[in-house]
Amino acid sequence: EVLLVESGGGLVKPGGSLRLSCAASGFTFSDYSMNWVRQAPGKGLEWVSAVSGSSNYIFYTDSVKGRFTISRDNARNSLYLQMNSLRAEDTAVYYCAKEGARGWPDAFDIWGQGTMVTVSS
Amino acid sequence: DIQLTQSPSFLSASVGDRVTITCRASQGISSYLGWYQQKPGKAPKLLIYAASTLQSGVPSRFSGSGSGTEFTLTISSLQPEDFATYYCQQLNSYPLTFGQGTRLEIK
């Protein structure tokens, strides 16, 4: 079974840091680009960041550039999101999502269950 | 950045109805568009990729069409489990973007 499981969310003060993890199983992790998508409470989906299979290509949405860092460890089948200088507007459920392999970028065919990040004093 | 505008934002319909949701892109994106379904408290689920290709395991009552700047998602005969929020996503260029969502509710 193809599975993505996020962890690492929680409550953090403004200006603080958090590291999210996403454990992948059931597929050859290194063959696929991976993404982080977030959803603020009661709001729509917002793409955050993407990393190619070999980490050669990395992209971010403007609002997190310079604060968030995406990375992956193909030996551990894991995706990460290091979040620094957190702001209240970063409060959201964070999903990791696997792309298909029909092109690049490709639609997100597998999603994790999400992990909640709350930034509040 | 490419903006996606979905219409309507809210839709009330009955079981058995045929419904269509539109997604318009601020610039041409060829067929690089996906559609997702999200139910409350759950992760999104991919329904359609490449604008019109049905994802494996998705019922055939779902269909997608369009290219360039205008796209549609059609549900041919609504089932109780289809009441959810639907999002389009462009995969033409980074930053990837989603539409604001269409909430489909039971009339």
Side-chain angles (χ1 to χ4, degrees), chain A:
Chain A
E1 181 190 8
V2 177
L3 201 59
L4 297 173
V5 179
E6 301 96 335
S7 60
L11 175 63
V12 61
K13 289 182 168 54
S17 297
L18 214 52
R19 189 195 197 206
L20 305 184
S21 299
C22 172
S25 59
F27 63 100
T28 305
F29 183 67
S30 59
D31 284 351
Y32 297 92
S33 294
M34 297 293 295
N35 292 259
W36 289 99
V37 176
R38 68 185 178 183
Q39 187 169 36
K43 302 298 184 182
L45 301 172
E46 180 185 22
W47 173 80
V48 174
S49 183
V51 58
S52 62
S54 56
S55 301
N56 287 344
Y57 299 97
I58 286 176
F59 300 92
Y60 299 99
T61 192
D62 282 350
S63 62
V64 308
K65 281 180 185 174
R67 300 189 300 123
F68 289 12
T69 301
I70 192 172
S71 63
R72 63 190 296 161
D73 184 338
N74 288 341
R76 296 178 181 270
N77 290 339
S78 292
L79 175 72
Y80 306 102
L81 186 67
Q82 177 67 44
M83 304 186 295
N84 298 331
S85 302
L86 282 161
R87 307 166 179 167
E89 54 265 34
D90 296 318
T91 294
V93 174
Y94 284 74
Y95 296 100
C96 67
K98 167 190 166 292
E99 289 187 24
R102 297 163 292 253
W104 183 64
D106 195 9
F108 302 170
D109 57 3
I110 302 295
W111 296 64
Q113 85 288 353
T115 188
M116 182 71 203
V117 172
T118 302
V119 184
S120 175
S121 54

Side-chain angles (χ1 to χ4, degrees), chain B residues 91-107:
Chain B
L91 298 140
N92 182 77
S93 61
Y94 290 98
L96 306 182
T97 47
F98 290 91
Q100 82 279 12
T102 295
R103 185 177 173 188
L104 176 55
E105 291 202 343
I106 300 174
K107 184 182 289 184

Side-chain angles (χ1 to χ4, degrees), chain B residues 63-80:
Chain B
S63 64
S65 65
S67 67
T69 62
E70 186 153 336
F71 302 85
T72 59
L73 172 70
T74 299
I75 310 172
S76 60
S77 178
L78 275 173
Q79 298 302 300

